[in-house]
Amino acid sequence: MGSFITNETTNFLVNGVDISNIFQPLSLGTQYPSQTGYTIGDKDLNEIFAKYTNGDDKAELTGYTIGNKDLNEIFAKYTGSNVGIVWTQRSFPTSGNVNGFATAGNYWIATSDLGSMKKMYVSMDGGVNWNTSSYVPSNPNYTGIAGNTDGTLFCMSNSTKFWSSTDGGMRWTNRGNTPGSGYGEEMVYSSGRFVNIFKGSSPCLTSYSTDGINWYNSTGYNDSNVSWMNLATDGNGNLVATGYKSSISITAYSSDNGTSWTQGNNIPGGPYSFPIFPIVYGNGLWVAVAKSDPYQTAVSSVFPPSWHNHFNPKKFDDITFCSGQNLFYATSGGFGIYKSSNGQNWTQVLSANNAPTTLAYNESQDKFLGVVANKTICYTSL
């Protein structure tokens, strides 16, 4: 497990928990300006914990007071500081290969196939516990799922059909066939619109919908010989798609929220043995990571993207962006999880020979969850 921030033990217990596990470390907040009179070793508490300021999360009442103030009036709640730093290995219901993976609101949804057993699982606590959805995926290998901002509506393309759910993925309603019975591959929620990309052999590159019921086909560029695999949005109506043809990584972009598409610049480098580039937007950057040799990251600070390649420490299977930290997180199955502020320089935060192959961050919950392929394991950072 990677290194993480710890506080010094105080021996002040709240419901059996030392307050060093409750309040935020000084490194993550503003120092309380005056001495408290309580010391740990030769350090006053104001040198260890962060000041509580209006807008920060308070802890629950502790029962310990300084003067007439409970400690929760003085120090910030120890929350979120371990996100992306401390990773916990947990059980996942199946050892199948996870293909569809999405999170929004309080929900996490994963589709999996293990031989003839095809399942969808839903978690409402960040991957600690999982429930089995009533929906049975017809082909989990071709699944795009996305939720709206608060998770009250999820949409899905599974194989050649559209579906929608209003209960976090536990039940789904069929919304008709995909155009030309194209195989849905990935879906994003972008500026009030669900946008779904098709792997290939579809009359359009994407379809889009605002309600999950009525779907419309995009216009413009579409190369049906390209296997389109990944899709990202900047949240302002700009989208970038990545796919491959032979050993070349192909891109396309849309500046009208998926209504029309234009062929983009190919990602340089290669030839790639398996030229799939998961992609995400954050910090004003489009960052795409190679899933195969040569191990490279393609980064663009402009739209439409103009790509610049940088070498990775490992091949990356998936990438996500943590808005609370303004950091990119990428996972390399069999090696670990890495973080970067610019998509160029990466620091390992988890070393594990069974690291996840899918990874996502939930902004409203401030949680990470990654699922390991072909093992009954997932990793959480809560």
Side-chain angles (χ1 to χ4, degrees), residues 59-120:
E60 299 298 319
L61 282 170
T62 68
Y64 293 103
T65 58
I66 297 175
N68 60 354
K69 289 184 177 180
D70 189 274
L71 290 181
N72 82 319
E73 293 287 344
I74 299 173
F75 299 113
K77 185 178 180 181
Y78 190 62
T79 179
S81 58
N82 284 338
V83 171
I85 300 171
V86 175
W87 295 84
T88 302
Q89 181 177 310
R90 302 183 188 274
S91 296
F92 189 70
T94 181
S95 60
N97 187 39
V98 172
N99 295 285
F101 193 49
T103 183
N106 293 322
Y107 302 102
W108 299 78
I109 302 174
T111 63
S112 176
D113 63 331
L114 178 60
S116 60
M117 187 174 70
K118 300 173 175 62
K119 298 283 187 179
M120 174 180 284

Short mmCIF file of all heavy atoms in Angstrom, two decimals, residues 59-120:
data_model
loop_
_atom_site.label_atom_id
_atom_site.label_comp_id
_atom_site.label_asym_id
_atom_site.label_seq_id
_atom_site.Cartn_x
_atom_site.Cartn_y
_atom_site.Cartn_z
N ALA A 59 -16.37 18.50 12.69
CA ALA A 59 -16.55 17.16 13.23
C ALA A 59 -17.78 17.16 14.13
O ALA A 59 -18.32 18.21 14.47
CB ALA A 59 -15.32 16.76 14.02
N GLU A 60 -18.22 15.97 14.50
CA GLU A 60 -19.27 15.87 15.49
C GLU A 60 -18.71 16.33 16.84
O GLU A 60 -17.51 16.36 17.06
CB GLU A 60 -19.78 14.43 15.59
CG GLU A 60 -20.37 13.90 14.29
CD GLU A 60 -21.59 14.68 13.85
OE1 GLU A 60 -22.41 15.04 14.71
OE2 GLU A 60 -21.70 14.94 12.64
N LEU A 61 -19.61 16.70 17.76
CA LEU A 61 -19.18 17.07 19.10
C LEU A 61 -18.30 15.98 19.70
O LEU A 61 -18.63 14.80 19.62
CB LEU A 61 -20.39 17.32 20.00
CG LEU A 61 -21.09 18.67 19.81
CD1 LEU A 61 -22.40 18.67 20.57
CD2 LEU A 61 -20.21 19.82 20.26
N THR A 62 -17.17 16.39 20.27
CA THR A 62 -16.23 15.40 20.79
C THR A 62 -16.37 15.20 22.30
O THR A 62 -15.99 14.16 22.82
CB THR A 62 -14.79 15.85 20.52
OG1 THR A 62 -14.50 17.00 21.31
CG2 THR A 62 -14.58 16.16 19.05
N GLY A 63 -16.89 16.21 23.00
CA GLY A 63 -16.95 16.12 24.46
C GLY A 63 -15.69 16.62 25.13
O GLY A 63 -15.64 16.73 26.36
N TYR A 64 -14.69 16.95 24.35
CA TYR A 64 -13.46 17.53 24.88
C TYR A 64 -13.47 19.01 24.60
O TYR A 64 -13.73 19.44 23.47
CB TYR A 64 -12.23 16.88 24.25
CG TYR A 64 -12.04 15.44 24.64
CD1 TYR A 64 -12.37 14.42 23.77
CD2 TYR A 64 -11.56 15.11 25.90
CE1 TYR A 64 -12.21 13.09 24.13
CE2 TYR A 64 -11.39 13.77 26.27
CZ TYR A 64 -11.73 12.78 25.39
OH TYR A 64 -11.56 11.47 25.75
N THR A 65 -13.19 19.82 25.62
CA THR A 65 -13.27 21.27 25.46
C THR A 65 -11.94 21.93 25.77
O THR A 65 -11.14 21.44 26.57
CB THR A 65 -14.34 21.87 26.39
OG1 THR A 65 -14.03 21.53 27.74
CG2 THR A 65 -15.72 21.34 26.02
N ILE A 66 -11.71 23.04 25.11
CA ILE A 66 -10.62 23.96 25.42
C ILE A 66 -11.28 25.28 25.75
O ILE A 66 -11.91 25.89 24.89
CB ILE A 66 -9.65 24.11 24.24
CG1 ILE A 66 -8.99 22.76 23.92
CG2 ILE A 66 -8.60 25.16 24.52
CD1 ILE A 66 -8.12 22.79 22.70
N GLY A 67 -11.15 25.71 27.02
CA GLY A 67 -11.97 26.82 27.46
C GLY A 67 -13.41 26.36 27.46
O GLY A 67 -13.76 25.34 28.04
N ASN A 68 -14.26 27.09 26.78
CA ASN A 68 -15.66 26.67 26.67
C ASN A 68 -16.01 26.17 25.27
O ASN A 68 -17.17 26.09 24.91
CB ASN A 68 -16.60 27.82 27.06
CG ASN A 68 -16.41 29.04 26.17
OD1 ASN A 68 -15.51 29.05 25.33
ND2 ASN A 68 -17.25 30.05 26.35
N LYS A 69 -14.98 25.83 24.47
CA LYS A 69 -15.21 25.41 23.10
C LYS A 69 -14.94 23.91 22.96
O LYS A 69 -13.89 23.42 23.37
CB LYS A 69 -14.32 26.16 22.11
CG LYS A 69 -14.68 27.61 21.90
CD LYS A 69 -13.78 28.22 20.83
CE LYS A 69 -14.15 29.66 20.53
NZ LYS A 69 -13.27 30.24 19.49
N ASP A 70 -15.89 23.19 22.37
CA ASP A 70 -15.62 21.81 22.00
C ASP A 70 -14.60 21.80 20.87
O ASP A 70 -14.52 22.74 20.06
CB ASP A 70 -16.91 21.13 21.53
CG ASP A 70 -16.73 19.64 21.33
OD1 ASP A 70 -16.29 19.25 20.23
OD2 ASP A 70 -17.01 18.89 22.27
N LEU A 71 -13.79 20.75 20.83
CA LEU A 71 -12.74 20.68 19.80
C LEU A 71 -13.29 20.80 18.39
O LEU A 71 -12.60 21.24 17.47
CB LEU A 71 -11.95 19.37 19.94
CG LEU A 71 -11.04 19.25 21.16
CD1 LEU A 71 -10.32 17.91 21.13
CD2 LEU A 71 -10.04 20.38 21.21
N ASN A 72 -14.57 20.41 18.20
CA ASN A 72 -15.10 20.50 16.84
C ASN A 72 -15.36 21.94 16.41
O ASN A 72 -15.62 22.21 15.25
CB ASN A 72 -16.37 19.66 16.70
CG ASN A 72 -17.62 20.38 17.19
OD1 ASN A 72 -17.58 21.05 18.22
ND2 ASN A 72 -18.71 20.21 16.48
N GLU A 73 -15.28 22.89 17.35
CA GLU A 73 -15.41 24.31 17.00
C GLU A 73 -14.07 24.90 16.61
O GLU A 73 -14.00 26.04 16.16
CB GLU A 73 -15.97 25.08 18.20
CG GLU A 73 -17.41 24.73 18.57
CD GLU A 73 -18.42 25.28 17.57
OE1 GLU A 73 -18.05 26.18 16.78
OE2 GLU A 73 -19.57 24.81 17.58
N ILE A 74 -13.01 24.13 16.82
CA ILE A 74 -11.66 24.67 16.62
C ILE A 74 -10.97 24.05 15.41
O ILE A 74 -10.32 24.75 14.63
CB ILE A 74 -10.81 24.44 17.89
CG1 ILE A 74 -11.45 25.16 19.07
CG2 ILE A 74 -9.38 24.91 17.68
CD1 ILE A 74 -10.79 24.85 20.39
N PHE A 75 -11.13 22.73 15.26
CA PHE A 75 -10.38 22.04 14.22
C PHE A 75 -11.28 21.52 13.12
O PHE A 75 -12.43 21.17 13.36
CB PHE A 75 -9.60 20.87 14.83
CG PHE A 75 -8.60 21.31 15.86
CD1 PHE A 75 -8.77 20.96 17.19
CD2 PHE A 75 -7.51 22.07 15.51
CE1 PHE A 75 -7.85 21.36 18.14
CE2 PHE A 75 -6.59 22.48 16.45
CZ PHE A 75 -6.76 22.13 17.77
N ALA A 76 -10.74 21.44 11.93
CA ALA A 76 -11.49 20.94 10.78
C ALA A 76 -11.65 19.43 10.87
O ALA A 76 -10.79 18.72 11.40
CB ALA A 76 -10.79 21.32 9.49
N LYS A 77 -12.75 18.96 10.33
CA LYS A 77 -13.00 17.52 10.31
C LYS A 77 -11.97 16.82 9.43
O LYS A 77 -11.60 17.30 8.37
CB LYS A 77 -14.41 17.25 9.77
CG LYS A 77 -14.83 15.79 9.82
CD LYS A 77 -16.25 15.63 9.30
CE LYS A 77 -16.69 14.17 9.34
NZ LYS A 77 -18.05 14.00 8.82
N TYR A 78 -11.52 15.67 9.89
CA TYR A 78 -10.55 14.87 9.14
C TYR A 78 -11.30 14.12 8.06
O TYR A 78 -11.72 12.99 8.24
CB TYR A 78 -9.86 13.90 10.10
CG TYR A 78 -8.67 13.19 9.52
CD1 TYR A 78 -7.55 13.89 9.09
CD2 TYR A 78 -8.66 11.80 9.43
CE1 TYR A 78 -6.45 13.23 8.59
CE2 TYR A 78 -7.57 11.14 8.93
CZ TYR A 78 -6.46 11.85 8.51
OH TYR A 78 -5.37 11.20 8.02
N THR A 79 -11.52 14.80 6.93
CA THR A 79 -12.34 14.19 5.87
C THR A 79 -11.71 14.46 4.52
O THR A 79 -11.24 15.56 4.25
CB THR A 79 -13.77 14.74 5.89
OG1 THR A 79 -14.53 14.15 4.83
CG2 THR A 79 -13.80 16.25 5.71
N GLY A 80 -11.68 13.46 3.68
CA GLY A 80 -11.18 13.65 2.32
C GLY A 80 -9.67 13.64 2.21
O GLY A 80 -9.14 13.54 1.13
N SER A 81 -8.97 13.74 3.34
CA SER A 81 -7.52 13.86 3.25
C SER A 81 -6.86 12.56 2.81
O SER A 81 -5.75 12.56 2.32
CB SER A 81 -6.96 14.28 4.61
OG SER A 81 -7.32 13.35 5.61
N ASN A 82 -7.53 11.45 3.00
CA ASN A 82 -6.96 10.17 2.59
C ASN A 82 -7.40 9.75 1.20
O ASN A 82 -6.98 8.71 0.71
CB ASN A 82 -7.36 9.07 3.59
CG ASN A 82 -6.55 9.17 4.87
OD1 ASN A 82 -5.48 9.75 4.88
ND2 ASN A 82 -7.07 8.61 5.94
N VAL A 83 -8.26 10.55 0.58
CA VAL A 83 -8.75 10.20 -0.75
C VAL A 83 -7.60 10.27 -1.75
O VAL A 83 -6.94 11.30 -1.88
CB VAL A 83 -9.90 11.12 -1.18
CG1 VAL A 83 -10.27 10.89 -2.64
CG2 VAL A 83 -11.11 10.89 -0.29
N GLY A 84 -7.37 9.16 -2.43
CA GLY A 84 -6.27 9.09 -3.37
C GLY A 84 -4.94 8.75 -2.73
O GLY A 84 -3.94 8.59 -3.43
N ILE A 85 -4.92 8.67 -1.39
CA ILE A 85 -3.68 8.37 -0.67
C ILE A 85 -3.76 6.98 -0.05
O ILE A 85 -2.89 6.15 -0.23
CB ILE A 85 -3.40 9.44 0.40
CG1 ILE A 85 -3.28 10.82 -0.25
CG2 ILE A 85 -2.13 9.11 1.17
CD1 ILE A 85 -3.22 11.96 0.72
N VAL A 86 -4.82 6.76 0.72
CA VAL A 86 -5.04 5.46 1.35
C VAL A 86 -5.99 4.65 0.48
O VAL A 86 -7.11 5.10 0.18
CB VAL A 86 -5.61 5.62 2.76
CG1 VAL A 86 -5.95 4.26 3.35
CG2 VAL A 86 -4.62 6.34 3.66
N TRP A 87 -5.58 3.46 0.09
CA TRP A 87 -6.40 2.57 -0.75
C TRP A 87 -6.68 1.29 0.02
O TRP A 87 -5.77 0.70 0.62
CB TRP A 87 -5.69 2.27 -2.06
CG TRP A 87 -5.51 3.49 -2.91
CD1 TRP A 87 -4.51 4.41 -2.82
CD2 TRP A 87 -6.37 3.94 -3.95
NE1 TRP A 87 -4.68 5.41 -3.73
CE2 TRP A 87 -5.82 5.16 -4.45
CE3 TRP A 87 -7.55 3.46 -4.52
CZ2 TRP A 87 -6.41 5.88 -5.48
CZ3 TRP A 87 -8.13 4.17 -5.55
CH2 TRP A 87 -7.57 5.36 -6.02
N THR A 88 -7.93 0.87 0.00
CA THR A 88 -8.35 -0.33 0.73
C THR A 88 -8.81 -1.40 -0.24
O THR A 88 -9.66 -1.13 -1.11
CB THR A 88 -9.50 0.01 1.70
OG1 THR A 88 -9.06 1.03 2.60
CG2 THR A 88 -9.90 -1.22 2.50
N GLN A 89 -8.27 -2.59 -0.11
CA GLN A 89 -8.71 -3.72 -0.93
C GLN A 89 -9.98 -4.29 -0.34
O GLN A 89 -10.06 -4.58 0.85
CB GLN A 89 -7.62 -4.78 -1.00
CG GLN A 89 -7.99 -5.98 -1.86
CD GLN A 89 -6.87 -6.98 -1.96
OE1 GLN A 89 -5.73 -6.64 -2.26
NE2 GLN A 89 -7.19 -8.24 -1.70
N ARG A 90 -11.00 -4.46 -1.19
CA ARG A 90 -12.28 -4.99 -0.75
C ARG A 90 -12.73 -6.11 -1.69
O ARG A 90 -12.14 -6.33 -2.75
CB ARG A 90 -13.34 -3.88 -0.73
CG ARG A 90 -12.98 -2.71 0.18
CD ARG A 90 -14.10 -1.69 0.22
NE ARG A 90 -13.72 -0.48 0.92
CZ ARG A 90 -13.79 -0.30 2.22
NH1 ARG A 90 -14.24 -1.29 2.99
NH2 ARG A 90 -13.42 0.84 2.78
N SER A 91 -13.82 -6.77 -1.32
CA SER A 91 -14.37 -7.85 -2.14
C SER A 91 -15.25 -7.29 -3.23
O SER A 91 -15.96 -6.30 -3.05
CB SER A 91 -15.18 -8.81 -1.27
OG SER A 91 -14.36 -9.44 -0.31
N PHE A 92 -15.20 -7.93 -4.39
CA PHE A 92 -16.10 -7.65 -5.51
C PHE A 92 -16.85 -8.95 -5.81
O PHE A 92 -16.29 -10.04 -5.67
CB PHE A 92 -15.31 -7.17 -6.72
CG PHE A 92 -16.18 -6.66 -7.84
CD1 PHE A 92 -16.89 -5.48 -7.70
CD2 PHE A 92 -16.31 -7.38 -9.02
CE1 PHE A 92 -17.70 -5.01 -8.72
CE2 PHE A 92 -17.12 -6.93 -10.04
CZ PHE A 92 -17.81 -5.74 -9.89
N PRO A 93 -18.13 -8.87 -6.24
CA PRO A 93 -18.96 -10.07 -6.30
C PRO A 93 -18.53 -11.14 -7.30
O PRO A 93 -18.97 -12.28 -7.20
CB PRO A 93 -20.35 -9.52 -6.67
CG PRO A 93 -20.31 -8.08 -6.31
CD PRO A 93 -18.91 -7.64 -6.50
N THR A 94 -17.70 -10.80 -8.29
CA THR A 94 -17.37 -11.77 -9.32
C THR A 94 -15.94 -11.57 -9.79
O THR A 94 -15.37 -10.48 -9.63
CB THR A 94 -18.32 -11.67 -10.51
OG1 THR A 94 -17.98 -12.65 -11.50
CG2 THR A 94 -18.24 -10.30 -11.16
N SER A 95 -15.37 -12.60 -10.39
CA SER A 95 -14.03 -12.50 -10.95
C SER A 95 -14.06 -12.28 -12.46
O SER A 95 -13.08 -12.52 -13.14
CB SER A 95 -13.22 -13.77 -10.63
OG SER A 95 -13.86 -14.91 -11.18
N GLY A 96 -15.19 -11.83 -12.95
CA GLY A 96 -15.30 -11.57 -14.39
C GLY A 96 -14.59 -10.30 -14.79
O GLY A 96 -14.02 -9.57 -13.98
N ASN A 97 -14.64 -10.02 -16.08
CA ASN A 97 -14.01 -8.83 -16.65
C ASN A 97 -15.02 -7.69 -16.64
O ASN A 97 -16.10 -7.80 -17.22
CB ASN A 97 -13.53 -9.11 -18.07
CG ASN A 97 -12.74 -7.95 -18.63
OD1 ASN A 97 -11.96 -7.33 -17.92
ND2 ASN A 97 -12.93 -7.66 -19.90
N VAL A 98 -14.70 -6.58 -15.97
CA VAL A 98 -15.60 -5.44 -15.88
C VAL A 98 -15.41 -4.55 -17.10
O VAL A 98 -14.31 -4.11 -17.39
CB VAL A 98 -15.37 -4.65 -14.59
CG1 VAL A 98 -16.16 -3.35 -14.59
CG2 VAL A 98 -15.75 -5.50 -13.39
N ASN A 99 -16.50 -4.29 -17.81
CA ASN A 99 -16.45 -3.45 -19.01
C ASN A 99 -17.21 -2.16 -18.83
O ASN A 99 -16.68 -1.08 -19.02
CB ASN A 99 -16.99 -4.23 -20.21
CG ASN A 99 -16.12 -5.41 -20.56
OD1 ASN A 99 -15.05 -5.25 -21.12
ND2 ASN A 99 -16.57 -6.61 -20.20
N GLY A 100 -18.51 -2.25 -18.48
CA GLY A 100 -19.27 -1.05 -18.20
C GLY A 100 -19.03 -0.60 -16.78
O GLY A 100 -19.13 -1.40 -15.84
N PHE A 101 -18.71 0.69 -16.59
CA PHE A 101 -18.37 1.19 -15.25
C PHE A 101 -18.73 2.66 -15.20
O PHE A 101 -18.31 3.45 -16.05
CB PHE A 101 -16.88 0.99 -15.00
CG PHE A 101 -16.46 1.16 -13.57
CD1 PHE A 101 -17.14 0.52 -12.55
CD2 PHE A 101 -15.38 1.95 -13.24
CE1 PHE A 101 -16.74 0.67 -11.22
CE2 PHE A 101 -14.96 2.10 -11.93
CZ PHE A 101 -15.66 1.45 -10.91
N ALA A 102 -19.56 3.05 -14.21
CA ALA A 102 -20.01 4.44 -14.13
C ALA A 102 -20.36 4.80 -12.70
O ALA A 102 -20.70 3.93 -11.89
CB ALA A 102 -21.22 4.66 -15.03
N THR A 103 -20.29 6.10 -12.41
CA THR A 103 -20.69 6.59 -11.09
C THR A 103 -21.31 7.97 -11.22
O THR A 103 -20.90 8.78 -12.06
CB THR A 103 -19.49 6.64 -10.13
OG1 THR A 103 -19.94 7.06 -8.84
CG2 THR A 103 -18.40 7.58 -10.62
N ALA A 104 -22.31 8.23 -10.38
CA ALA A 104 -22.96 9.55 -10.28
C ALA A 104 -23.83 9.53 -9.04
O ALA A 104 -24.36 8.49 -8.66
CB ALA A 104 -23.81 9.85 -11.52
N GLY A 105 -23.97 10.70 -8.40
CA GLY A 105 -24.77 10.75 -7.18
C GLY A 105 -24.20 9.81 -6.14
O GLY A 105 -23.01 9.84 -5.84
N ASN A 106 -25.05 8.94 -5.61
CA ASN A 106 -24.60 7.97 -4.61
C ASN A 106 -24.32 6.60 -5.19
O ASN A 106 -24.09 5.65 -4.43
CB ASN A 106 -25.67 7.83 -3.51
CG ASN A 106 -25.83 9.08 -2.69
OD1 ASN A 106 -24.86 9.77 -2.40
ND2 ASN A 106 -27.06 9.41 -2.35
N TYR A 107 -24.34 6.48 -6.52
CA TYR A 107 -24.32 5.15 -7.14
C TYR A 107 -23.03 4.87 -7.89
O TYR A 107 -22.43 5.75 -8.51
CB TYR A 107 -25.50 5.02 -8.10
CG TYR A 107 -26.84 5.24 -7.47
CD1 TYR A 107 -27.52 6.45 -7.64
CD2 TYR A 107 -27.44 4.26 -6.68
CE1 TYR A 107 -28.76 6.66 -7.05
CE2 TYR A 107 -28.69 4.47 -6.10
CZ TYR A 107 -29.33 5.67 -6.28
OH TYR A 107 -30.55 5.89 -5.69
N TRP A 108 -22.65 3.58 -7.83
CA TRP A 108 -21.57 3.03 -8.66
C TRP A 108 -22.14 1.80 -9.36
O TRP A 108 -22.77 0.95 -8.73
CB TRP A 108 -20.38 2.61 -7.80
CG TRP A 108 -19.76 3.75 -7.05
CD1 TRP A 108 -20.23 4.33 -5.91
CD2 TRP A 108 -18.57 4.44 -7.39
NE1 TRP A 108 -19.40 5.35 -5.51
CE2 TRP A 108 -18.36 5.43 -6.40
CE3 TRP A 108 -17.63 4.32 -8.42
CZ2 TRP A 108 -17.26 6.29 -6.42
CZ3 TRP A 108 -16.54 5.17 -8.43
CH2 TRP A 108 -16.37 6.14 -7.46
N ILE A 109 -21.93 1.70 -10.67
CA ILE A 109 -22.50 0.61 -11.47
C ILE A 109 -21.39 -0.08 -12.24
O ILE A 109 -20.54 0.58 -12.85
CB ILE A 109 -23.58 1.13 -12.44
CG1 ILE A 109 -24.69 1.85 -11.68
CG2 ILE A 109 -24.16 -0.02 -13.27
CD1 ILE A 109 -25.71 2.52 -12.59
N ALA A 110 -21.39 -1.41 -12.23
CA ALA A 110 -20.38 -2.18 -12.96
C ALA A 110 -21.06 -3.37 -13.63
O ALA A 110 -21.88 -4.05 -13.01
CB ALA A 110 -19.29 -2.67 -12.02
N THR A 111 -20.74 -3.61 -14.90
CA THR A 111 -21.19 -4.83 -15.58
C THR A 111 -20.01 -5.78 -15.68
O THR A 111 -18.86 -5.37 -15.81
CB THR A 111 -21.73 -4.53 -16.98
OG1 THR A 111 -20.68 -3.98 -17.79
CG2 THR A 111 -22.88 -3.54 -16.93
N SER A 112 -20.31 -7.06 -15.62
CA SER A 112 -19.25 -8.06 -15.63
C SER A 112 -19.70 -9.31 -16.36
O SER A 112 -20.88 -9.65 -16.36
CB SER A 112 -18.87 -8.41 -14.18
OG SER A 112 -17.91 -9.44 -14.15
N ASP A 113 -18.73 -9.99 -16.99
CA ASP A 113 -19.02 -11.29 -17.58
C ASP A 113 -18.00 -12.30 -17.09
O ASP A 113 -16.81 -12.02 -17.01
CB ASP A 113 -19.02 -11.23 -19.12
CG ASP A 113 -17.66 -10.86 -19.68
OD1 ASP A 113 -16.93 -10.15 -19.00
OD2 ASP A 113 -17.35 -11.28 -20.81
N LEU A 114 -18.48 -13.44 -16.70
CA LEU A 114 -17.64 -14.55 -16.28
C LEU A 114 -18.17 -15.79 -16.97
O LEU A 114 -19.12 -16.43 -16.52
CB LEU A 114 -17.67 -14.73 -14.76
CG LEU A 114 -16.84 -15.90 -14.20
CD1 LEU A 114 -15.38 -15.75 -14.56
CD2 LEU A 114 -17.03 -16.01 -12.70
N GLY A 115 -17.59 -16.12 -18.13
CA GLY A 115 -18.12 -17.20 -18.94
C GLY A 115 -19.53 -16.85 -19.40
O GLY A 115 -19.77 -15.80 -19.98
N SER A 116 -20.47 -17.71 -19.11
CA SER A 116 -21.85 -17.47 -19.50
C SER A 116 -22.60 -16.63 -18.47
O SER A 116 -23.74 -16.23 -18.69
CB SER A 116 -22.59 -18.80 -19.68
OG SER A 116 -22.58 -19.54 -18.47
N MET A 117 -21.97 -16.35 -17.33
CA MET A 117 -22.63 -15.58 -16.27
C MET A 117 -22.40 -14.09 -16.50
O MET A 117 -21.29 -13.60 -16.39
CB MET A 117 -22.10 -15.99 -14.89
CG MET A 117 -22.87 -15.34 -13.75
SD MET A 117 -22.36 -15.94 -12.12
CE MET A 117 -20.73 -15.21 -11.99
N LYS A 118 -23.47 -13.38 -16.82
CA LYS A 118 -23.41 -11.95 -17.09
C LYS A 118 -24.23 -11.23 -16.03
O LYS A 118 -25.40 -11.53 -15.83
CB LYS A 118 -23.92 -11.65 -18.50
CG LYS A 118 -23.10 -12.35 -19.59
CD LYS A 118 -23.73 -12.16 -20.95
CE LYS A 118 -22.86 -12.75 -22.05
NZ LYS A 118 -22.68 -14.21 -21.90
N LYS A 119 -23.62 -10.26 -15.38
CA LYS A 119 -24.26 -9.59 -14.26
C LYS A 119 -23.99 -8.09 -14.29
O LYS A 119 -23.02 -7.62 -14.88
CB LYS A 119 -23.74 -10.14 -12.93
CG LYS A 119 -24.02 -11.62 -12.69
CD LYS A 119 -25.47 -11.86 -12.28
CE LYS A 119 -25.68 -13.31 -11.87
NZ LYS A 119 -27.08 -13.56 -11.44
N MET A 120 -24.89 -7.35 -13.61
CA MET A 120 -24.67 -5.95 -13.31
C MET A 120 -24.76 -5.79 -11.80
O MET A 120 -25.64 -6.34 -11.15
CB MET A 120 -25.70 -5.06 -14.00
CG MET A 120 -25.59 -3.59 -13.59
SD MET A 120 -26.82 -2.55 -14.41
CE MET A 120 -26.09 -2.44 -16.05
#
